[in-house]
Amino acid sequence: MNRNVSENLLGVKDIEQPKERGTRFTLNGALWSLQALFGFFFAGSGFGKVLLYDGALYATAPQAVAWYAAVPQPLIVFIGVCEVLGGIGLILPAMTGVKPKLTPLAAVGLTLTMILAAGFHIMRSEYELVPANLLLGGVAAFVAVGRWKLGPIAPATITTSRALKSSAVLGALILLAFVPTWYTMTSVQF
């Protein structure tokens, strides 16, 4: 292994390690990681709210999440639909290359949702919930700026490979986020 030794002004020897090949941190990689992780999170969380269209589930929901009692059922379902679409929007338009400008728009929508949620929780003196809203909103804002200005995705034509990848992501979303959420909400007593 090749090592370079140099002395700085204080006489301390610095040993420079050779740069390793392999994984390196890139903005594009960070954005894709955040898009996937938070896309699944928002879609799963939103799906739980969408399930509250069922009156029986809505009636028992405040036992698990106190703020549900302060929000009308149609508004909770609407927020859930927005979160599901926003979560999917973080991933699929960029992945397929079809209308990739929808990805930063989805991130902006999720940022706005989290800002409004933080304000709602502050008004209700639920300060312990605000940091989560700020973290989620901050990540969504980072993705919005990242995909709009710093690392935009160029539009592309849909190919069989991209369509299959997108189908696999939707399948994974259903199996890893929607099914467990549905099972938990319909089978577990709060």
Side-chain angles (χ1 to χ4, degrees), residues 11-86:
V12 177
K13 293 183 181 181
D14 291 328
I15 299 175
E16 295 178 21
Q17 296 291 335
K19 302 230 183 219
E20 291 187 31
R21 294 179 191 234
T23 309
R24 38 171 242 212
F25 179 79
T26 64
L27 177 63
N28 190 47
L31 287 170
W32 272 115
S33 298
L34 292 173
Q35 284 171 246
L37 181 65
F38 285 87
F40 270 71
F41 173 81
F42 276 113
S45 173
F47 186 69
K49 293 175 183 80
V50 169
L51 289 176
L52 295 180
Y53 74 88
D54 180 6
L57 287 176
Y58 178 72
T60 60
Q63 295 169 351
V65 180
W67 66 265
Y68 284 170
V71 179
Q73 181 181 15
L75 181 57
I76 292 175
V77 173
F78 175 74
I79 292 167
V81 168
C82 292
E83 287 181 357
V84 168
L85 293 175

Side-chain angles (χ1 to χ4, degrees), residues 70-166:
V71 179
Q73 181 181 15
L75 181 57
I76 292 175
V77 173
F78 175 74
I79 292 167
V81 168
C82 292
E83 287 181 357
V84 168
L85 293 175
I88 292 170
L90 285 179
I91 302 169
L92 288 186
M95 178 181 278
T96 61
V98 177
K99 303 287 184 191
K101 289 290 183 187
L102 292 176
T103 295
L105 292 176
V108 167
L110 291 170
T111 302
L112 179 60
T113 302
M114 290 299 105
I115 290 170
L116 293 172
F120 172 78
H121 292 305
I122 289 170
M123 287 176 33
R124 289 179 40 88
S125 298
E126 297 171 333
Y127 302 113
E128 66 279 359
L129 299 175
V130 174
N133 295 135
L134 296 177
L135 173 69
L136 293 168
V139 169
F142 177 74
V143 170
V145 170
R147 286 298 178 211
W148 199 274
K149 296 278 185 193
L150 305 175
I153 302 286
T157 58
I158 188 77
T159 62
T160 303
S161 171
R162 289 179 186 198
L164 288 174
K165 280 194 248 179
S166 298

